[in-house]
């Protein structure tokens, strides 16, 4: 049976919003990936030069790519779980008026937030493997629309809640992103 839509104060509810969730995750990754990659590169050089005393060029050719990939994947998941447990959402979820809460309306604890993030990566994006990723996202979207809950929310006992989209916020965010794009890319 399909679970009923649960309502919370201030207009929040569990109405499925697959596209808003998708775009919120895209915004999150736009922030989390560069941060995680930077940490991975810094750690790669710190560990590589300080501990292993490796020859010049070895880090760039052998060690760095795998460290950056691992740091991007796990760093992004870690940042997502930290934001969920501290704030109940992420910057992308804030942009799109989405939050993650427990059934009693509280922010999730870190362990549950990390489990949710890990399950989303496995089930919702098939480990980010090309083609498999598209199939997993289509299945997850169909399940969300028919059952009103994603498998990772269901299995962690969490709810993704939202409210009607604030058009002013969307326009403001798009304008802000355009300004950032102009500052960093269009001038060159």
């Amino acid at each position: 049976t399909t679970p009923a839509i649960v309502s919370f104060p201030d207009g929040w509810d569990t109405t499925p919003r697959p596209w808003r969730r998708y775009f919120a995750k895209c915004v999150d990754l736009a922030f989390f990936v560069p941060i995680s990659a930077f940490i991975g590169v810094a750690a790669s050089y710190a560990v590589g030069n300080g501990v292993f005393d490796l020859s010049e060029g070895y880090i760039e050719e052998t060690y760095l790519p795998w460290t950056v990939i691992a740091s991007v994947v796990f760093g992004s998941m870690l940042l997502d779980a930290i934001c969920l447990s501290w704030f109940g959402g992420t910057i992308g979820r804030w942009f799109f008026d989405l939050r993650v809460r427990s059934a009693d309306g509280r922010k999730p604890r870190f362990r549950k937030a990390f489990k949710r993030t890990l399950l989303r990566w496995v089930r919702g994006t098939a480990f980010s493997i090309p083609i498999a990723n598209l199939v997993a996202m289509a299945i997850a979207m169909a399940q969300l629309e028919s059952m009103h809950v994603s498998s990772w929310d269901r299995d962690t006992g969490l709810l993704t809640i939202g409210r009607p989209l604030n058009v002013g916020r969307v326009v403001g965010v798009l304008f802000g992103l355009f300004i950032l794009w102009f500052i960093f890319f269009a001038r060159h």
Side-chain angles (χ1 to χ4, degrees):
T1 63
T2 302
I5 302 296
V6 178
S7 293
F8 290 85
D10 299 325
W12 296 91
D13 65 36
T14 58
T15 300
R17 296 169 171 91
W19 287 108
R20 283 171 55 185
R21 290 170 69 145
Y22 172 78
F23 287 117
K25 181 51 59 188
C26 290
V27 170
D28 291 342
L29 290 174
F31 283 92
F32 294 162
V33 166
I35 293 167
S36 300
F38 175 77
I39 292 169
V41 169
S44 187
Y45 280 101
V47 170
N49 286 333
V51 174
F52 300 116
D53 195 30
L54 300 172
S55 65
E56 191 68 33
Y58 180 78
I59 293 173
E60 290 88 354
E61 296 168 10
T62 308
Y63 190 61
L64 184 62
W66 294 107
T67 304
V68 171
I69 290 169
S71 66
V72 163
V73 170
F74 295 108
S76 295
M77 288 193 299
L78 185 63
L79 288 170
D80 189 67
I82 289 169
C83 288
L84 290 179
S85 63
W86 287 3
F87 309 112
T90 58
I91 194 159
R93 288 181 184 94
W94 178 82
F95 286 163
F96 290 98
D97 265 340
L98 299 169
R99 305 290 183 275
V100 175
R101 295 288 190 261
S102 61
D104 62 3
R106 291 186 295 177
K107 294 178 281 192
R109 293 184 178 264
F110 176 79
R111 184 178 173 126
K112 194 172 271 199
F114 189 78
K115 180 180 179 183
R116 179 191 184 278
T117 301
L118 185 62
L119 288 172
R120 186 200 50 77
W121 181 57
V122 172
R123 296 178 188 165
T125 66
F127 303 98
S128 300
I129 298 170
I131 310 297
N133 181 341
L134 297 173
V135 172
M137 287 192 295
I139 292 169
M141 181 176 169
Q143 179 187 19
L144 178 62
E145 289 179 330
S146 68
M147 298 300 295
H148 296 177
V149 65
S150 63
S151 65
W152 48 90
D153 282 338
R154 181 195 64 224
D155 291 350
T156 56
L158 297 173
L159 303 168
T160 298
I161 62 173
R163 59 183 171 188
L165 198 56
N166 181 333
V167 177
R169 177 181 288 174
V170 173
V171 169
V173 167
L174 291 174
F175 182 72
L177 291 173
F178 174 76
I179 295 298
L180 287 174
W181 173 82
F182 184 78
I183 291 169
F184 290 109
F185 300 108
R187 299 180 324 169
H188 303 291

